[in-house]
Amino acid sequence: MGKIARTWSMMSECWEVLKQDKSLLIFPLISGFCCLLLLVSFAIPIWVTGAWQPPGQGAHTVQQIAYYGTLFLFYICNYFIVVFFNAAIIACATVRMGGGNPTIGDGLRAAAARLPVIVGWALISATVGLVLRIIEDRSDKIGRLISGLLGMGWTVVSFLVVPILVVENKSPFTALKDSTELLKRTWGERLVSGFSFGVIFFLLTIPAIALVVVAAFFGSVIVIVLCSALVVVYLIGLGLVQSALQSIFQAALYLYARNGQVPEGFREEVLSGALR
């Protein structure tokens, strides 16, 4: 409950930044649309050819290379899209928290100027993602546990990488090193996350799920269709807001850790309690 309360406070302060720049929601919207097109571009050829089959025990080397090679390529493209538009949001958020008045064009130009390092970070992230996936595939329950623990650790140490790439234009490996050092310097050696955006947004999806269930039991076909459409729109909007708020929070946490000063619109106790 303490984590939920802290997360709600963080979200409220990020929301104030988002209200000043509602156009930031365009970035996760474009990102989501591009990711959807990417998924379709991979899924349709695989479905038509019937060639996609996860390698089981004793699978041929060629099958494993084809499977994990395709997965790696998908990861690279997907990470690039996500990181590029997150970088655009972070660029705008840092300008806003510095007293400026950013535009959508400013965010896109800032992300485009960091294209080489964004590609490099997408390659690193895709490699880590593939390694975690292989571990998970090889060992069933134990593999999932190990993969989950390693994934959580990777998420924490790399949390400030994208803001460093955007603001300081450092290489991906240097940004990862700086991210780890900033986190240690600001919050200590053994870090525990003090926030969870996912939990809050999961709770916000419960009314939508309840609406569909009620409509399914007591409504007509037209009511079910209308309620389902309304829920889809609500969930899409919720996802856009979540993505934007998380990127704004990354920017605020980076400025706090790098400069030792609280960005405009945030409270020190909220940022200092983000990690413990």
Side-chain angles (χ1 to χ4, degrees):
M1 295 303 296
K3 180 178 287 190
I4 291 176
R6 282 190 297 273
T7 305
W8 186 260
S9 297
M10 296 171 193
M11 285 174 52
S12 299
E13 296 183 0
C14 293
W15 176 253
E16 293 302 318
V17 176
L18 183 59
K19 284 199 304 184
Q20 298 178 59
D21 288 292
K22 299 181 183 67
S23 58
L24 292 181
L25 293 173
I26 292 176
F27 294 126
L29 179 63
I30 299 174
S31 177
F33 181 71
C34 291
C35 287
L36 181 61
L37 289 179
L38 175 68
L39 180 62
V40 171
S41 69
F42 273 78
I44 290 180
I46 289 170
W47 181 77
V48 170
T49 59
W52 184 256
Q53 185 178 357
Q57 295 292 336
H60 292 296
T61 303
V62 174
Q63 183 184 359
Q64 295 188 39
I65 292 175
Y67 175 80
Y68 288 114
T70 304
L71 197 62
F72 182 60
L73 182 60
F74 175 79
Y75 280 174
I76 291 174
C77 298
N78 189 71
Y79 276 117
F80 172 77
I81 293 170
V82 172
V83 173
F84 181 86
F85 288 103
N86 280 356
I89 297 175
I90 289 171
C92 290
T94 52
V95 172
R96 171 60 65 183
M97 286 183 277
N101 187 27
T103 64
I104 295 175
D106 292 333
L108 291 175
R109 282 189 291 271
R114 302 293 185 259
L115 208 56
V117 293
I118 289 175
V119 172
W121 182 242
L123 284 169
I124 294 173
S125 300
T127 302
V128 173
L130 183 65
V131 170
L132 295 178
R133 180 59 182 268
I134 293 174
I135 293 173
E136 185 177 341
D137 289 345
R138 296 297 185 200
S139 307
D140 296 329
K141 292 182 180 179
I142 295 177
R144 294 191 191 98
L145 176 61
I146 295 174
S147 177
L149 292 173
L150 292 175
M152 286 189 291
W154 173 255
T155 300
V156 172
V157 299
S158 63
F159 192 73
L160 299 180
V161 167
V162 178
I164 292 173
L165 295 178
V166 172
V167 178
E168 303 179 27
N169 195 24
K170 292 186 175 180
S171 70
F173 286 111
T174 303
L176 180 60
K177 178 183 176 182
D178 285 2
S179 173
T180 306
E181 291 177 349
L182 282 174
L183 292 169
K184 286 181 179 179
R185 187 182 71 191
T186 308
W187 289 279
E189 292 283 343
R190 291 175 293 180
L191 300 176
V192 178
S193 174
F195 64 94
S196 178
F197 279 74
V199 171
I200 295 293
F201 281 91
F202 170 75
L203 294 176
L204 292 175
T205 63
I206 293 177
I209 297 172
L211 178 63
V212 173
V213 171
V214 171
F217 275 98
F218 302 106
S220 62
V221 175
I222 296 178
V223 172
I224 294 174
V225 171
L226 290 176
C227 288
S228 299
L230 182 63
V231 167
V232 169
V233 173
Y234 172 74
L235 293 179
I236 291 174
L238 205 60
L240 297 179
V241 171
Q242 178 185 8
S243 179
L245 293 183
Q246 285 179 321
S247 295
I248 291 170
F249 178 63
Q250 273 184 288
L253 210 63
Y254 161 76
L255 293 174
Y256 175 69
R258 173 60 79 190
N259 303 327
Q261 298 178 349
V262 181
E264 182 180 345
F266 288 83
R267 291 173 294 159
E268 183 171 8
E269 59 267 25
V270 171
L271 296 177
S272 62
L275 296 168
R276 295 173 290 129

